[in-house]
Amino acid sequence: MALNHCEAAQSADARRMAYSFFADVFSAEVNRDFVAGMSSLEAEEGSKLAEFTASLDGCDLDEATQDVRSEFCALFLNMCAHPVYTSESVYLSDNHVIMQEQRDQIVEVYRMYKLSVDRGSFDWPEDHISMEMLFMAHLCELERDLCLEAEKFGTEAGSEAEAVNARIEAIAKAQQAFFAEHLDRWAPMFIDELSSQAKTLFYQGIAEYLAGFLEGERELLDSVA
């Protein structure tokens, strides 16, 4: 059953928050407040992330945070024998190195939306997992705002309402295209690598959580095509 505009806005905002969460997790080492906040996450029962959040009860938060921060450095900053690479180019380019044609393609996509990387706060390439997650979050935010705008028209017909609905459809198709052409082509491989190399329950759980989230996104966005 199709969602009304209010429900669609809520769905888009929930997806925006999920993409933003993953962007934060993979962009930098988490801090103590982030780890403490994980205790309120409603993780699926029996999952690795649920096991991690349960382990926070009564634990030394400073020690738990340091464990997660250390593994971020080991996994994503090449401080271990088998690092997990975080850029699309590494997985899909012929040379399997960063800053290849996949990155250039993504730069062009960002430019279409007048977006660029703020080098003052982010030092990863444009096809980094966090940047792709942030872009999807941006598209979800645009969808949310358009759905809220459409909600004001109610069942009213007219050129303005039709224009907003057309923009909603265009944003949904943009999400589907970016997901299919970029994120979903390599994120499953990234997840496999993370699952096999992560030692902490935190990153094991994040890999599992991301896999489930992307499965849901795949199903949702396939319906748009």
Side-chain angles (χ1 to χ4, degrees), residues 11-138:
S11 173
D13 198 48
R15 294 173 56 234
R16 176 195 63 81
M17 289 189 290
Y19 277 115
S20 297
F21 169 79
F22 290 117
D24 288 343
V25 165
F26 296 124
S27 65
E29 300 142 277
V30 299
N31 58 30
R32 189 180 188 276
D33 289 342
F34 186 97
V35 173
M38 290 291 293
S39 60
S40 62
L41 182 72
E42 295 182 4
E44 183 178 350
E45 186 177 353
S47 68
K48 292 285 187 182
L49 212 50
E51 192 176 345
F52 173 76
T53 57
S55 74
L56 296 177
D57 186 21
C59 80
D60 183 331
L61 270 179
D62 290 327
E63 183 177 342
T65 302
Q66 187 55 50
D67 287 345
V68 173
R69 290 173 65 87
S70 295
E71 183 153 63
F72 180 94
C73 295
L75 292 172
F76 307 128
L77 300 182
N78 299 346
M79 295 184 181
C80 68
H82 301 287
V84 176
Y85 297 104
T86 50
S87 293
E88 181 177 334
S89 292
V90 175
Y91 292 87
L92 300 184
S93 69
D94 293 337
N95 297 325
H96 300 294
V97 294
I98 64 171
M99 304 293 282
Q100 299 300 295
E101 64 270 21
Q102 288 76 19
R103 174 261 178 192
D104 298 339
Q105 292 166 5
I106 289 209
V107 168
E108 291 305 313
V109 174
Y110 294 166
R111 282 176 180 162
M112 289 172 56
Y113 291 85
K114 297 181 172 57
L115 299 173
S116 61
V117 175
D118 178 5
R119 291 302 177 196
S121 59
F122 197 87
D123 198 30
W124 299 104
E126 287 81 353
D127 62 342
H128 186 275
I129 187 77
S130 289
M131 284 306 306
E132 296 196 16
M133 292 289 178
L134 283 175
F135 181 65
M136 285 296 292
H138 177 69

Side-chain angles (χ1 to χ4, degrees), residues 150-169:
E151 178 69 12
K152 297 175 185 177
F153 293 106
T155 58
E156 176 186 337
S159 59
E160 287 186 71
E162 289 175 2
V164 172
N165 284 323
R167 290 167 64 194
I168 292 172
E169 183 177 351

